[in-house]
Amino acid sequence: MEETTEIKQKAEYRSAKRSRKMIREAFLTLLKKKPETKITVTDIVNLADINRTTFYAHYPDVRGVVEEIENDVIDKMMVILKDFHYFSFFKNPAPLLLQISRFLEMDIDLYKQLIRIDSSDAFLEKLKKIFAEFMENDPDIPEYIREKSSFAIRVSYFTGGIVNAYKQWLTGELNCSLNDISMEIASIITETDLS
């Protein structure tokens, strides 16, 4: 009996995972054609070929789909940033920045679509805040540096600049490669005295 329950649970999990994937893919397809605010649950369920009950079993509304996608992006960025160390980053920022570029290259279409969403500015602010927290909470930073007002200003400046450069590339405002952006930011950072 226990084995049957486990098999049923696995099948339900696969089904739920498949439904979520279909909903997200439908949303992203629709996002290519119209703004997020014009996409309805009906649009999504029709394109995904599911019923409304299935949609609402996973998401409260269209915004819930967007939030899940954003949270997935944040989770992936957290993996990249887990090895962040303030001093090693400012001595040689290229490895981390190139890792971010490779991360974006893995699903460029998704990120180009996400940047067009009305709430993208709030999402980018959340990313900046996460990056800033990694910088501010690095245990290798001496307290005397952390206490300087210049430290907070520099953290804000660098996180904002880095996120904005990638945003401008995704929106087509910068005509260069992602690697060019990473290497130029790395060059700017290494030329700056942060002590």
Side-chain angles (χ1 to χ4, degrees), residues 105-137:
E105 286 170 344
M106 289 173 57
D107 206 347
I108 285 177
D109 288 339
L110 168 67
Y111 303 119
K112 284 184 175 183
Q113 288 177 49
L114 283 180
I115 212 70
R116 292 181 32 233
I117 292 176
D118 289 343
S119 61
S120 69
D121 286 340
F123 173 64
L124 292 174
E125 283 301 315
K126 197 184 299 185
L127 283 177
K128 282 189 243 182
K129 184 177 179 187
I130 289 167
F131 193 24
E133 286 173 1
F134 272 93
M135 291 177 132
E136 294 166 345
N137 296 321

Side-chain angles (χ1 to χ4, degrees), residues 27-28 31-32 34 69 73 103-118 120 123-124 166-178 181:
F27 171 77
L28 292 170
L31 192 57
K32 290 177 184 177
K34 57 183 168 178
I69 293 168
V73 172
F103 164 73
L104 292 171
E105 286 170 344
M106 289 173 57
D107 206 347
I108 285 177
D109 288 339
L110 168 67
Y111 303 119
K112 284 184 175 183
Q113 288 177 49
L114 283 180
I115 212 70
R116 292 181 32 233
I117 292 176
D118 289 343
S120 69
F123 173 64
L124 292 174
Y166 288 111
K167 173 190 174 186
Q168 287 186 320
W169 185 86
L170 287 167
T171 59
E173 295 173 55
L174 292 177
N175 187 19
C176 59
S177 72
L178 281 170
I181 291 172

Side-chain angles (χ1 to χ4, degrees), residues 24-41:
R24 286 171 59 151
E25 287 175 356
F27 171 77
L28 292 170
T29 298
L30 290 162
L31 192 57
K32 290 177 184 177
K33 299 173 185 171
K34 57 183 168 178
E36 168 214 2
T37 54
K38 302 286 186 193
I39 297 172
T40 65
V41 172

Side-chain angles (χ1 to χ4, degrees), residues 122-186:
F123 173 64
L124 292 174
E125 283 301 315
K126 197 184 299 185
L127 283 177
K128 282 189 243 182
K129 184 177 179 187
I130 289 167
F131 193 24
E133 286 173 1
F134 272 93
M135 291 177 132
E136 294 166 345
N137 296 321
D138 188 319
D140 295 339
I141 301 170
E143 197 60 37
Y144 76 91
I145 291 177
R146 201 185 305 259
E147 290 173 352
K148 291 181 180 181
S149 62
S150 60
F151 175 72
I153 293 167
R154 290 169 188 223
V155 167
S156 176
Y157 174 78
F158 281 106
T159 57
I162 291 167
V163 170
N164 192 52
Y166 288 111
K167 173 190 174 186
Q168 287 186 320
W169 185 86
L170 287 167
T171 59
E173 295 173 55
L174 292 177
N175 187 19
C176 59
S177 72
L178 281 170
N179 280 355
D180 291 342
I181 291 172
S182 295
M183 296 312 294
E184 186 58 31
I185 293 171

